[in-house]
Amino acid sequence: MTQHGIHHVTAFSGPVARTVDFYTRVLGLRLVKKTVNFDDPGTYHLYFGDAAGAPGTILTFFPIVHAAPGRVGIGQVSETAFRVPRASIGAWTHRLVAMGVPHEAPTAAFGETVLRLRDPDGMPLALVGVDGAEGEPAWAASDIAPEQAIRGFHGVTLLLREAGPTAAILAGVLGFESVGTEGAQTRFKGSAALGGLVTLRAVGDFLPGRQGAGSVHHVAFRAADDAAQAAMAEALRTGHGLDVTEQRDRQYFRSIYFREPGGVLFEIATDAPGFAIDEPVAELGTALKLPPFLEPHRGRIEAVLPKVA
Ligand code: ZN
């Protein structure tokens, strides 16, 4: 069955070792792939997710040592939220206090408990306590108990001047439907349990966002296969008059990209082939993996990359 939801979220960060430490040790995600930015092979591309890096769990980073800080504004993702069991919010609050992670007191939104925090680059994150998440599988190879562990994405919030044009893409092409409004926020839901929510926050005139460390570069949505992706590209071009790139092979999925009308860069990525295509699941993330076209340059690439830990 086709799952509509977020495939992955990609952001910029600062020093690579600090990024790996925060997402693996503090949040307990698995580093599922260590590769390079295919368009800029002197920079890492790190993928964090669940045990297998399933669609809907994957947060990826381009770490740049001296990256200037980004600024959240119009046309950007203003919050990336993870899904945790509701009963674990207290334990998470304790953990963030003990580890010195900046965070706010838990609040309620859309009937859920939201614990907002920042990563070391100031990237706005949230842990959202959800009833029933305790029954979902969790990556547990850390000191975080399975009943507390992150399950994957809950969703993202987009900061927009107005919600309508972006809503038309979510509902008309990406398989989401409107499920509620709270103040300036309208929430859209796809069929996927993980990464199934996109919240549009319409704020009128406000500063535009600026890309940099701690800011999201793009959000990728799921396509079941190449045919489904091609149909979505056609709907974007002919139904909505948007420019869509040709398909690019990203080794672990195949992608098209477009700028949605609210200014956020969207990608549509295929579920297949996934992260086990070039290393066994048990060894995911342990070795630097390069796509075939970069393998001849491995020596030079390894020489310029900083140490991960
Ligand atoms: Zn991407």
Side-chain angles (χ1 to χ4, degrees):
M1 195 190 101
T2 299
Q3 295 284 309
H4 294 293
I6 294 165
H7 183 282
H8 65 267
V9 173
T10 293
F12 294 108
S13 67
V16 59
R18 191 175 71 181
T19 300
V20 171
D21 179 72
F22 182 80
Y23 286 96
T24 60
R25 186 179 60 86
V26 177
L27 293 190
L29 303 182
R30 185 180 191 193
L31 176 60
V32 292
K33 193 63 67 180
K34 189 164 52 175
T35 183
V36 295
N37 182 346
F38 293 179
D39 302 323
D40 176 16
T43 302
Y44 276 115
H45 194 184
L46 302 178
Y47 292 73
F48 300 93
D50 70 355
T57 74
I58 312 156
L59 177 59
T60 96
F61 285 96
F62 298 125
I64 301 165
V65 179
H66 299 298
R71 181 186 66 203
V72 172
I74 295 287
Q76 275 193 330
V77 172
S78 59
E79 186 172 273
T80 301
F82 296 103
R83 183 178 172 88
V84 299
R86 190 189 284 266
S88 74
I89 290 291
W92 274 109
T93 305
H94 280 276
R95 184 174 179 85
L96 298 179
V97 170
M99 293 183 151
V101 177
H103 63 280
E104 299 173 12
T107 55
F110 289 100
E112 297 160 341
T113 310
V114 182
L115 173 56
R116 295 197 162 85
L117 64 143
R118 299 257 176 180
D119 87 351
D121 292 297
M123 178 165 158
L125 303 173
L127 298 169
V128 180
V130 181
D131 290 325
E134 60 278 5
E136 298 166 358
W139 165 249
S142 71
D143 65 333
I144 299 172
E147 57 269 25
Q148 182 182 353
I150 286 172
R151 267 49 187 177
F153 288 126
H154 191 52
V156 293
T157 302
L158 312 183
L159 195 66
L160 303 168
R161 186 162 282 121
E162 51 175 341
T166 303
I169 301 299
L170 286 170
V173 180
L174 298 175
F176 286 68
E177 59 178 328
S178 175
V179 289
T181 297
E182 223 177 82
Q185 302 193 100
T186 306
R187 176 163 278 191
F188 287 78
K189 191 176 185 318
S191 54
L194 297 177
L197 296 174
V198 176
T199 303
L200 306 183
R201 187 180 174 90
V203 294
D205 282 326
F206 191 72
L207 291 172
R210 187 179 61 213
Q211 294 281 314
S215 68
V216 170
H217 182 253
H218 64 264
V219 181
F221 294 89
R222 294 174 67 174
D225 52 30
D226 293 329
Q229 185 189 61
M232 291 158 125
E234 183 58 22
L236 290 166
R237 289 191 186 109
T238 59
H240 298 271
L242 294 176
D243 283 328
V244 185
T245 66
E246 293 305 306
Q247 191 189 64
R248 294 179 194 164
D249 185 356
R250 297 311 192 186
Q251 183 79 355
Y252 312 106
F253 40 86
R254 293 178 293 278
S255 298
I256 59 174
Y257 301 83
F258 64 100
R259 184 78 58 183
E260 60 84 24
V264 184
L265 184 61
F266 277 6
E267 172 182 348
I268 299 173
T270 55
D271 281 1
F275 294 97
I277 190 174
D278 59 0
E279 59 187 334
V281 169
E283 291 169 24
L284 287 177
T286 55
L288 178 70
K289 306 307 289 187
L290 297 175
F293 76 96
L294 289 175
E295 198 57 60
H297 311 293
R298 175 176 284 273
R300 270 193 298 160
I301 290 169
E302 287 183 341
V304 301
L305 289 172
K307 288 273 171 287
V308 164

